[in-house]
Amino acid sequence: MPFVFQAHEYPLSPGCYLMKNDSGRILYVGKSKCLRNRLRSYFRQTHAEKRIRQLVAEIASIEVVLVNNESESLLLENNLIKIHKPPYNRALKKDNSGYAYLQLTSERLPRLEVYYRNRSSRLPPPAQDGLAGKKAASGAGIQRLGPFKSSRFRDALLEFVTDHYGLRTCTVLPKKVCLLYHIGKCSGVCEGLISEEEYRERVRQAAGLLAHQGEALIGAMSERMTWYAERLEFEKAQNMLSHIRNLQKVPDKQIVDREGELDQDVLYFGESGVMVAKVQQGMLRDFQLYELTAGWQETACDRFLVERYADNPPHELIVNQVGDPGFVKSSLRRRGVRRSPVITRPKRGLKYDLLLLCKQNYEYRMSRAARNEDEQG
């Protein structure tokens, strides 16, 4: 039976949509600032492109994930495409595509590089080769900077910081300086034109600049813009001004792709169900709705936690309610769980924001299910 699109079932809010076939396979992942309007465009006209017509013909269901803003929808779409690799998504399947970070390497003489996070279906242990909460050879422990929605801005920022501090760009350190030194874009540490300690001090300064971002970074870029203008290099000065303006734009707050080393499940318990969001190493990856067994609410919550996490629980469970955390942990230990998860009921901050997002998706799916029941009844 062909899929019948009902516009009123889908919200006017931002989010991602997952188009599935009759066997449940994800065919396509997309994003939009207005899910209803975007999805309507697939069904209200005949598409000239054969690929789109084939996709629409195979759709059996559409699942949506609500987010807070456009930035979150872009980043979540990137994650979901890399996890599921849908056949109708041509872009963003490769690991080195999408939204990247900047980080300093942990080499003896560090350099700044573009870094893509591993977004495979199951992440390996966090790599120890960057500055994600670790001390690099520079001695500066900072988080990676990003992710960047604009690769053009990211690359311009990389070039600016590298030039500003004379950092090397070569992957293999040469024995003699190259052209970059002669045009003032490298410090010449390879040939000993500055000492390794002086070079590492420059790296520490670059790390501090990226860590603080904001005014410190804008100030350094403004100085470089003035330097260009004084030398009548107006094209370079104008280019730097455009980068400064981009940096001054306040980005949308986003909680779907952040640095982290722990796996977390976020659980919003409602009256008759629970929405579970999986967060692996800071990346939101999945929403699943489950029914709760009948009974007293807090007892049902505890029972769900014990049954679900008796095998390989995440490091932390973020919940809106729990009856007896001690009982849950002791029950899991009796079932052979070696490491009981931390159970957190946040009242503010990032974890609370994740819980609110989980609640938003729970309420949407429950209201949609209730509406469908009413129409069928």
Side-chain angles (χ1 to χ4, degrees):
M1 182 177 178
F3 176 76
V4 178
F5 176 74
Q6 301 288 340
H8 66 274
E9 293 186 1
Y10 301 94
L12 296 168
S13 51
C16 292
Y17 54 92
L18 297 83
M19 295 174 164
K20 301 180 179 181
N21 64 13
D22 54 8
S23 65
R25 182 188 181 189
I26 296 175
L27 302 171
Y28 185 82
V29 173
K31 51 71 174 68
S32 178
K33 292 187 290 186
C34 179
L35 285 165
R36 182 183 298 175
N37 292 346
R38 180 69 185 99
L39 289 170
R40 183 188 283 123
S41 69
Y42 285 95
F43 299 95
R44 68 181 178 186
Q45 59 186 347
T46 301
H47 296 275
E49 190 175 350
K50 181 180 178 182
R51 174 173 153 271
I52 302 299
R53 295 199 304 270
Q54 290 176 334
L55 167 63
V56 172
E58 289 187 51
I59 295 172
S61 64
I62 301 175
E63 178 184 318
V64 302
V65 176
L66 306 183
V67 295
N68 296 304
N69 51 55
E70 185 180 13
S71 291
E72 290 186 342
S73 68
L74 289 167
L75 294 167
L76 182 58
E77 179 198 38
N78 182 41
N79 288 350
L80 293 174
I81 290 174
K82 287 179 171 57
I83 293 168
H84 300 292
K85 300 194 182 326
Y88 284 94
N89 284 98
R90 292 178 175 175
L92 298 180
K93 286 187 181 182
K94 297 180 180 179
D95 289 337
N96 61 344
S97 65
Y99 309 106
Y101 294 72
L102 292 180
Q103 72 169 13
L104 287 164
T105 65
S106 59
E107 298 165 289
R108 179 170 56 88
L109 298 173
R111 55 192 169 82
L112 194 62
E113 67 176 1
V114 176
Y115 171 79
Y116 289 89
R117 296 186 71 180
N118 186 333
R119 291 174 168 84
S120 59
S121 58
R122 184 64 186 100
L123 296 171
Q128 303 299 319
D129 59 348
L131 290 175
K134 302 294 180 182
K135 295 253 182 197
S138 63
I142 63 169
Q143 298 290 321
R144 297 183 183 106
L145 180 60
F148 293 93
K149 290 187 291 182
S150 168
S151 58
R152 180 178 298 180
F153 176 66
R154 177 203 69 212
D155 293 342
L157 184 59
L158 184 151
E159 181 180 2
F160 166 72
V161 175
T162 298
D163 291 355
H164 188 69
Y165 291 102
L167 305 185
R168 71 184 187 93
T169 58
C170 46
T171 55
V172 178
L173 197 67
K175 294 182 179 179
K176 291 189 175 294
V177 295
C178 62
L179 176 64
L180 292 177
Y181 170 78
H182 294 293
I183 61 175
K185 289 182 174 290
C186 182
S187 59
V189 66
C190 60
E191 200 173 320
L193 299 179
I194 66 169
S195 68
E196 290 191 7
E197 182 52 41
E198 183 180 350
Y199 180 86
R200 281 192 282 270
E201 176 56 33
R202 293 189 181 194
V203 171
R204 280 190 284 271
Q205 292 176 15
L209 187 69
L210 292 175
H212 291 98
Q213 303 176 52
E215 294 303 319
L217 184 51
I218 291 172
M221 295 173 77
S222 297
E223 289 179 8
R224 177 56 64 94
M225 180 184 69
T226 303
W227 188 84
Y228 284 140
E230 289 174 349
R231 286 156 181 75
L232 307 183
E233 298 182 55
F234 298 118
E235 185 175 348
K236 290 184 177 179
Q238 179 61 39
N239 185 49
M240 186 61 68
L241 178 60
S242 68
H243 294 325
I244 291 171
R245 287 175 174 169
N246 282 334
L247 193 64
Q248 287 174 327
K249 293 177 183 177
V250 179
D252 291 333
K253 177 183 176 182
Q254 66 88 11
I255 60 174
V256 304
D257 192 338
R258 306 175 69 90
E259 284 294 335
E261 296 186 358
L262 303 180
D263 291 347
Q264 302 162 309
D265 273 13
V266 186
L267 301 98
Y268 178 80
F269 289 98
E271 291 184 4
S272 58
V274 53
M275 179 65 75
V276 181
K278 297 192 72 63
V279 180
Q280 289 184 353
Q281 296 178 22
M283 290 184 287
L284 182 63
R285 305 168 69 83
D286 189 31
F287 278 99
Q288 293 292 334
L289 181 63
Y290 299 91
E291 289 186 5
L292 280 180
T293 56
W296 188 43
Q297 180 70 12
E298 291 190 344
T299 302
C301 295
D302 290 0
R303 189 160 54 246
F304 180 87
L305 295 174
V306 172
E307 293 295 331
R308 178 172 176 80
Y309 297 108
D311 181 35
N312 194 28
H315 299 92
E316 183 178 20
L317 302 176
I318 301 170
V319 300
N320 65 318
Q321 59 178 297
V322 59
D324 186 344
F327 166 77
V328 173
K329 291 184 177 182
S330 62
S331 298
L332 290 174
R333 282 194 296 269
R334 285 197 300 271
R335 292 184 176 221
V337 175
R338 295 182 180 178
R339 173 185 46 80
S340 296
V342 175
I343 300 177
T344 305
R345 292 185 64 185
K347 301 299 181 184
R348 63 185 67 84
L350 170 64
K351 296 176 184 179
Y352 183 69
D353 292 339
L354 286 168
L355 202 53
L356 290 181
L357 187 60
C358 211
K359 177 184 178 183
Q360 183 182 357
N361 279 274
Y362 171 83
E363 291 176 343
Y364 164 70
R365 293 205 193 176
M366 294 299 288
S367 64
R368 181 177 175 181
R371 189 163 52 244
N372 289 338
E373 287 181 6
D374 290 341
E375 291 175 356
Q376 293 172 4

PDB file of all heavy atoms in Angstrom, residues 119-149:
ATOM      1  N   ARG A 119      32.235   8.735  13.414  1.00  0.00           N
ATOM      2  CA  ARG A 119      30.795   8.649  13.648  1.00  0.00           C
ATOM      3  C   ARG A 119      30.239   7.313  13.161  1.00  0.00           C
ATOM      4  O   ARG A 119      29.110   7.227  12.697  1.00  0.00           O
ATOM      5  CB  ARG A 119      30.081   9.800  12.939  1.00  0.00           C
ATOM      6  CG  ARG A 119      30.374  11.159  13.583  1.00  0.00           C
ATOM      7  CD  ARG A 119      29.776  12.280  12.773  1.00  0.00           C
ATOM      8  NE  ARG A 119      29.783  13.530  13.489  1.00  0.00           N
ATOM      9  CZ  ARG A 119      30.808  14.356  13.551  1.00  0.00           C
ATOM     10  NH1 ARG A 119      31.925  14.058  12.921  1.00  0.00           N
ATOM     11  NH2 ARG A 119      30.741  15.482  14.214  1.00  0.00           N
ATOM     12  N   SER A 120      31.042   6.263  13.253  1.00  0.00           N
ATOM     13  CA  SER A 120      30.599   4.943  12.827  1.00  0.00           C
ATOM     14  C   SER A 120      29.539   4.423  13.775  1.00  0.00           C
ATOM     15  O   SER A 120      29.265   5.007  14.821  1.00  0.00           O
ATOM     16  CB  SER A 120      31.786   3.969  12.773  1.00  0.00           C
ATOM     17  OG  SER A 120      32.394   3.884  14.035  1.00  0.00           O
ATOM     18  N   SER A 121      28.948   3.252  13.451  1.00  0.00           N
ATOM     19  CA  SER A 121      27.824   2.732  14.233  1.00  0.00           C
ATOM     20  C   SER A 121      28.209   2.417  15.668  1.00  0.00           C
ATOM     21  O   SER A 121      27.394   2.477  16.562  1.00  0.00           O
ATOM     22  CB  SER A 121      27.257   1.479  13.568  1.00  0.00           C
ATOM     23  OG  SER A 121      28.271   0.501  13.446  1.00  0.00           O
ATOM     24  N   ARG A 122      29.464   2.052  15.897  1.00  0.00           N
ATOM     25  CA  ARG A 122      29.930   1.873  17.284  1.00  0.00           C
ATOM     26  C   ARG A 122      31.305   2.481  17.389  1.00  0.00           C
ATOM     27  O   ARG A 122      32.248   2.068  16.721  1.00  0.00           O
ATOM     28  CB  ARG A 122      29.995   0.396  17.669  1.00  0.00           C
ATOM     29  CG  ARG A 122      30.392   0.215  19.143  1.00  0.00           C
ATOM     30  CD  ARG A 122      29.314   0.801  20.059  1.00  0.00           C
ATOM     31  NE  ARG A 122      29.725   0.769  21.454  1.00  0.00           N
ATOM     32  CZ  ARG A 122      30.213   1.810  22.106  1.00  0.00           C
ATOM     33  NH1 ARG A 122      30.387   2.953  21.471  1.00  0.00           N
ATOM     34  NH2 ARG A 122      30.517   1.732  23.379  1.00  0.00           N
ATOM     35  N   LEU A 123      31.429   3.496  18.229  1.00  0.00           N
ATOM     36  CA  LEU A 123      32.676   4.234  18.325  1.00  0.00           C
ATOM     37  C   LEU A 123      33.742   3.445  19.073  1.00  0.00           C
ATOM     38  O   LEU A 123      33.464   2.792  20.066  1.00  0.00           O
ATOM     39  CB  LEU A 123      32.447   5.553  19.058  1.00  0.00           C
ATOM     40  CG  LEU A 123      31.512   6.537  18.342  1.00  0.00           C
ATOM     41  CD1 LEU A 123      31.204   7.697  19.258  1.00  0.00           C
ATOM     42  CD2 LEU A 123      32.139   7.032  17.068  1.00  0.00           C
ATOM     43  N   PRO A 124      35.000   3.531  18.611  1.00  0.00           N
ATOM     44  CA  PRO A 124      36.097   2.943  19.370  1.00  0.00           C
ATOM     45  C   PRO A 124      36.426   3.819  20.565  1.00  0.00           C
ATOM     46  O   PRO A 124      35.881   4.910  20.697  1.00  0.00           O
ATOM     47  CB  PRO A 124      37.242   2.946  18.350  1.00  0.00           C
ATOM     48  CG  PRO A 124      36.944   4.120  17.479  1.00  0.00           C
ATOM     49  CD  PRO A 124      35.436   4.172  17.381  1.00  0.00           C
ATOM     50  N   PRO A 125      37.320   3.375  21.456  1.00  0.00           N
ATOM     51  CA  PRO A 125      37.724   4.225  22.565  1.00  0.00           C
ATOM     52  C   PRO A 125      38.288   5.545  22.052  1.00  0.00           C
ATOM     53  O   PRO A 125      38.852   5.593  20.966  1.00  0.00           O
ATOM     54  CB  PRO A 125      38.812   3.398  23.267  1.00  0.00           C
ATOM     55  CG  PRO A 125      38.519   1.996  22.874  1.00  0.00           C
ATOM     56  CD  PRO A 125      37.960   2.062  21.487  1.00  0.00           C
ATOM     57  N   PRO A 126      38.124   6.626  22.797  1.00  0.00           N
ATOM     58  CA  PRO A 126      38.582   7.924  22.337  1.00  0.00           C
ATOM     59  C   PRO A 126      40.068   7.918  21.996  1.00  0.00           C
ATOM     60  O   PRO A 126      40.884   7.340  22.696  1.00  0.00           O
ATOM     61  CB  PRO A 126      38.301   8.847  23.544  1.00  0.00           C
ATOM     62  CG  PRO A 126      37.273   8.130  24.348  1.00  0.00           C
ATOM     63  CD  PRO A 126      37.516   6.674  24.128  1.00  0.00           C
ATOM     64  N   ALA A 127      40.402   8.567  20.888  1.00  0.00           N
ATOM     65  CA  ALA A 127      41.797   8.645  20.463  1.00  0.00           C
ATOM     66  C   ALA A 127      42.574   9.548  21.404  1.00  0.00           C
ATOM     67  O   ALA A 127      42.040  10.474  21.993  1.00  0.00           O
ATOM     68  CB  ALA A 127      41.876   9.173  19.035  1.00  0.00           C
ATOM     69  N   GLN A 128      43.849   9.279  21.523  1.00  0.00           N
ATOM     70  CA  GLN A 128      44.694  10.065  22.416  1.00  0.00           C
ATOM     71  C   GLN A 128      45.658  10.953  21.625  1.00  0.00           C
ATOM     72  O   GLN A 128      46.682  11.360  22.127  1.00  0.00           O
ATOM     73  CB  GLN A 128      45.513   9.122  23.311  1.00  0.00           C
ATOM     74  CG  GLN A 128      44.665   8.159  24.131  1.00  0.00           C
ATOM     75  CD  GLN A 128      43.739   8.868  25.078  1.00  0.00           C
ATOM     76  OE1 GLN A 128      44.121   9.846  25.691  1.00  0.00           O
ATOM     77  NE2 GLN A 128      42.511   8.395  25.197  1.00  0.00           N
ATOM     78  N   ASP A 129      45.302  11.268  20.383  1.00  0.00           N
ATOM     79  CA  ASP A 129      46.259  11.978  19.533  1.00  0.00           C
ATOM     80  C   ASP A 129      45.962  13.453  19.415  1.00  0.00           C
ATOM     81  O   ASP A 129      46.588  14.142  18.624  1.00  0.00           O
ATOM     82  CB  ASP A 129      46.270  11.359  18.123  1.00  0.00           C
ATOM     83  CG  ASP A 129      44.899  11.412  17.476  1.00  0.00           C
ATOM     84  OD1 ASP A 129      43.923  11.712  18.194  1.00  0.00           O
ATOM     85  OD2 ASP A 129      44.826  11.164  16.283  1.00  0.00           O
ATOM     86  N   GLY A 130      44.981  13.962  20.129  1.00  0.00           N
ATOM     87  CA  GLY A 130      44.663  15.365  19.973  1.00  0.00           C
ATOM     88  C   GLY A 130      44.603  16.067  21.302  1.00  0.00           C
ATOM     89  O   GLY A 130      45.213  15.645  22.266  1.00  0.00           O
ATOM     90  N   LEU A 131      43.831  17.154  21.350  1.00  0.00           N
ATOM     91  CA  LEU A 131      43.755  17.964  22.545  1.00  0.00           C
ATOM     92  C   LEU A 131      42.390  17.864  23.205  1.00  0.00           C
ATOM     93  O   LEU A 131      41.968  18.760  23.885  1.00  0.00           O
ATOM     94  CB  LEU A 131      44.050  19.425  22.192  1.00  0.00           C
ATOM     95  CG  LEU A 131      45.509  19.678  21.809  1.00  0.00           C
ATOM     96  CD1 LEU A 131      45.673  21.110  21.355  1.00  0.00           C
ATOM     97  CD2 LEU A 131      46.425  19.413  22.979  1.00  0.00           C
ATOM     98  N   ALA A 132      41.699  16.779  22.980  1.00  0.00           N
ATOM     99  CA  ALA A 132      40.364  16.629  23.551  1.00  0.00           C
ATOM    100  C   ALA A 132      40.471  16.284  25.034  1.00  0.00           C
ATOM    101  O   ALA A 132      40.342  15.156  25.457  1.00  0.00           O
ATOM    102  CB  ALA A 132      39.593  15.538  22.824  1.00  0.00           C
ATOM    103  N   GLY A 133      40.739  17.315  25.833  1.00  0.00           N
ATOM    104  CA  GLY A 133      40.821  17.111  27.268  1.00  0.00           C
ATOM    105  C   GLY A 133      42.140  16.519  27.712  1.00  0.00           C
ATOM    106  O   GLY A 133      42.314  16.180  28.872  1.00  0.00           O
ATOM    107  N   LYS A 134      43.128  16.352  26.825  1.00  0.00           N
ATOM    108  CA  LYS A 134      44.422  15.776  27.175  1.00  0.00           C
ATOM    109  C   LYS A 134      45.510  16.831  27.012  1.00  0.00           C
ATOM    110  O   LYS A 134      45.359  17.824  26.323  1.00  0.00           O
ATOM    111  CB  LYS A 134      44.740  14.583  26.269  1.00  0.00           C
ATOM    112  CG  LYS A 134      43.676  13.476  26.335  1.00  0.00           C
ATOM    113  CD  LYS A 134      43.624  12.834  27.694  1.00  0.00           C
ATOM    114  CE  LYS A 134      42.574  11.740  27.768  1.00  0.00           C
ATOM    115  NZ  LYS A 134      42.475  11.151  29.087  1.00  0.00           N
ATOM    116  N   LYS A 135      46.646  16.574  27.591  1.00  0.00           N
ATOM    117  CA  LYS A 135      47.794  17.455  27.431  1.00  0.00           C
ATOM    118  C   LYS A 135      48.580  17.023  26.207  1.00  0.00           C
ATOM    119  O   LYS A 135      49.089  15.913  26.158  1.00  0.00           O
ATOM    120  CB  LYS A 135      48.696  17.389  28.664  1.00  0.00           C
ATOM    121  CG  LYS A 135      48.003  17.929  29.908  1.00  0.00           C
ATOM    122  CD  LYS A 135      48.556  19.247  30.278  1.00  0.00           C
ATOM    123  CE  LYS A 135      47.905  19.792  31.543  1.00  0.00           C
ATOM    124  NZ  LYS A 135      48.142  21.212  31.697  1.00  0.00           N
ATOM    125  N   ALA A 136      48.668  17.886  25.239  1.00  0.00           N
ATOM    126  CA  ALA A 136      49.467  17.586  24.061  1.00  0.00           C
ATOM    127  C   ALA A 136      50.905  17.973  24.332  1.00  0.00           C
ATOM    128  O   ALA A 136      51.264  18.442  25.410  1.00  0.00           O
ATOM    129  CB  ALA A 136      48.930  18.351  22.852  1.00  0.00           C
ATOM    130  N   ALA A 137      51.756  17.782  23.328  1.00  0.00           N
ATOM    131  CA  ALA A 137      53.166  18.122  23.498  1.00  0.00           C
ATOM    132  C   ALA A 137      53.349  19.597  23.782  1.00  0.00           C
ATOM    133  O   ALA A 137      54.365  20.020  24.313  1.00  0.00           O
ATOM    134  CB  ALA A 137      53.944  17.722  22.244  1.00  0.00           C
ATOM    135  N   SER A 138      52.356  20.398  23.398  1.00  0.00           N
ATOM    136  CA  SER A 138      52.443  21.831  23.669  1.00  0.00           C
ATOM    137  C   SER A 138      52.279  22.141  25.143  1.00  0.00           C
ATOM    138  O   SER A 138      52.592  23.236  25.592  1.00  0.00           O
ATOM    139  CB  SER A 138      51.340  22.558  22.891  1.00  0.00           C
ATOM    140  OG  SER A 138      50.081  22.123  23.346  1.00  0.00           O
ATOM    141  N   GLY A 139      51.748  21.183  25.913  1.00  0.00           N
ATOM    142  CA  GLY A 139      51.491  21.434  27.320  1.00  0.00           C
ATOM    143  C   GLY A 139      50.179  22.152  27.558  1.00  0.00           C
ATOM    144  O   GLY A 139      49.891  22.582  28.663  1.00  0.00           O
ATOM    145  N   ALA A 140      49.363  22.327  26.524  1.00  0.00           N
ATOM    146  CA  ALA A 140      48.112  23.052  26.670  1.00  0.00           C
ATOM    147  C   ALA A 140      46.955  22.097  26.509  1.00  0.00           C
ATOM    148  O   ALA A 140      46.705  21.599  25.432  1.00  0.00           O
ATOM    149  CB  ALA A 140      48.026  24.157  25.624  1.00  0.00           C
ATOM    150  N   GLY A 141      46.240  21.834  27.606  1.00  0.00           N
ATOM    151  CA  GLY A 141      45.119  20.919  27.513  1.00  0.00           C
ATOM    152  C   GLY A 141      43.847  21.668  27.176  1.00  0.00           C
ATOM    153  O   GLY A 141      43.311  22.383  28.005  1.00  0.00           O
ATOM    154  N   ILE A 142      43.349  21.585  25.942  1.00  0.00           N
ATOM    155  CA  ILE A 142      42.145  22.285  25.538  1.00  0.00           C
ATOM    156  C   ILE A 142      41.243  21.321  24.793  1.00  0.00           C
ATOM    157  O   ILE A 142      41.668  20.252  24.373  1.00  0.00           O
ATOM    158  CB  ILE A 142      42.458  23.492  24.628  1.00  0.00           C
ATOM    159  CG1 ILE A 142      43.104  23.011  23.317  1.00  0.00           C
ATOM    160  CG2 ILE A 142      43.340  24.493  25.318  1.00  0.00           C
ATOM    161  CD1 ILE A 142      43.206  24.069  22.261  1.00  0.00           C
ATOM    162  N   GLN A 143      40.007  21.707  24.644  1.00  0.00           N
ATOM    163  CA  GLN A 143      39.088  20.941  23.837  1.00  0.00           C
ATOM    164  C   GLN A 143      39.312  21.285  22.369  1.00  0.00           C
ATOM    165  O   GLN A 143      39.842  22.333  22.041  1.00  0.00           O
ATOM    166  CB  GLN A 143      37.649  21.280  24.226  1.00  0.00           C
ATOM    167  CG  GLN A 143      37.313  20.942  25.662  1.00  0.00           C
ATOM    168  CD  GLN A 143      37.258  19.448  25.903  1.00  0.00           C
ATOM    169  OE1 GLN A 143      36.777  18.705  25.071  1.00  0.00           O
ATOM    170  NE2 GLN A 143      37.759  19.015  27.039  1.00  0.00           N
ATOM    171  N   ARG A 144      38.893  20.368  21.496  1.00  0.00           N
ATOM    172  CA  ARG A 144      38.936  20.688  20.072  1.00  0.00           C
ATOM    173  C   ARG A 144      38.022  21.870  19.806  1.00  0.00           C
ATOM    174  O   ARG A 144      37.022  22.057  20.476  1.00  0.00           O
ATOM    175  CB  ARG A 144      38.499  19.484  19.253  1.00  0.00           C
ATOM    176  CG  ARG A 144      39.408  18.279  19.401  1.00  0.00           C
ATOM    177  CD  ARG A 144      38.938  17.138  18.494  1.00  0.00           C
ATOM    178  NE  ARG A 144      39.782  15.981  18.700  1.00  0.00           N
ATOM    179  CZ  ARG A 144      39.421  14.888  19.358  1.00  0.00           C
ATOM    180  NH1 ARG A 144      38.198  14.800  19.842  1.00  0.00           N
ATOM    181  NH2 ARG A 144      40.249  13.883  19.510  1.00  0.00           N
ATOM    182  N   LEU A 145      38.343  22.644  18.804  1.00  0.00           N
ATOM    183  CA  LEU A 145      37.538  23.790  18.440  1.00  0.00           C
ATOM    184  C   LEU A 145      36.600  23.388  17.318  1.00  0.00           C
ATOM    185  O   LEU A 145      37.032  22.947  16.257  1.00  0.00           O
ATOM    186  CB  LEU A 145      38.449  24.939  17.991  1.00  0.00           C
ATOM    187  CG  LEU A 145      37.745  26.237  17.572  1.00  0.00           C
ATOM    188  CD1 LEU A 145      36.935  26.793  18.728  1.00  0.00           C
ATOM    189  CD2 LEU A 145      38.759  27.256  17.091  1.00  0.00           C
ATOM    190  N   GLY A 146      35.300  23.524  17.536  1.00  0.00           N
ATOM    191  CA  GLY A 146      34.340  23.153  16.517  1.00  0.00           C
ATOM    192  C   GLY A 146      33.149  22.450  17.148  1.00  0.00           C
ATOM    193  O   GLY A 146      32.954  22.509  18.370  1.00  0.00           O
ATOM    194  N   PRO A 147      32.341  21.754  16.330  1.00  0.00           N
ATOM    195  CA  PRO A 147      32.496  21.583  14.885  1.00  0.00           C
ATOM    196  C   PRO A 147      32.093  22.826  14.101  1.00  0.00           C
ATOM    197  O   PRO A 147      31.288  23.617  14.569  1.00  0.00           O
ATOM    198  CB  PRO A 147      31.544  20.422  14.577  1.00  0.00           C
ATOM    199  CG  PRO A 147      30.492  20.514  15.634  1.00  0.00           C
ATOM    200  CD  PRO A 147      31.187  21.002  16.868  1.00  0.00           C
ATOM    201  N   PHE A 148      32.671  22.978  12.911  1.00  0.00           N
ATOM    202  CA  PHE A 148      32.418  24.122  12.060  1.00  0.00           C
ATOM    203  C   PHE A 148      31.399  23.767  10.989  1.00  0.00           C
ATOM    204  O   PHE A 148      31.573  22.808  10.246  1.00  0.00           O
ATOM    205  CB  PHE A 148      33.719  24.584  11.384  1.00  0.00           C
ATOM    206  CG  PHE A 148      34.728  25.143  12.337  1.00  0.00           C
ATOM    207  CD1 PHE A 148      35.711  24.333  12.884  1.00  0.00           C
ATOM    208  CD2 PHE A 148      34.696  26.476  12.687  1.00  0.00           C
ATOM    209  CE1 PHE A 148      36.649  24.843  13.764  1.00  0.00           C
ATOM    210  CE2 PHE A 148      35.633  27.004  13.578  1.00  0.00           C
ATOM    211  CZ  PHE A 148      36.604  26.189  14.112  1.00  0.00           C
ATOM    212  N   LYS A 149      30.354  24.574  10.883  1.00  0.00           N
ATOM    213  CA  LYS A 149      29.372  24.364   9.823  1.00  0.00           C
ATOM    214  C   LYS A 149      29.927  24.801   8.471  1.00  0.00           C
ATOM    215  O   LYS A 149      29.535  24.272   7.439  1.00  0.00           O
ATOM    216  CB  LYS A 149      28.086  25.135  10.135  1.00  0.00           C
ATOM    217  CG  LYS A 149      27.300  24.575  11.310  1.00  0.00           C
ATOM    218  CD  LYS A 149      25.968  25.257  11.452  1.00  0.00           C
ATOM    219  CE  LYS A 149      26.134  26.698  11.910  1.00  0.00           C
ATOM    220  NZ  LYS A 149      24.840  27.368  12.112  1.00  0.00           N
TER     221      LYS A 149
END
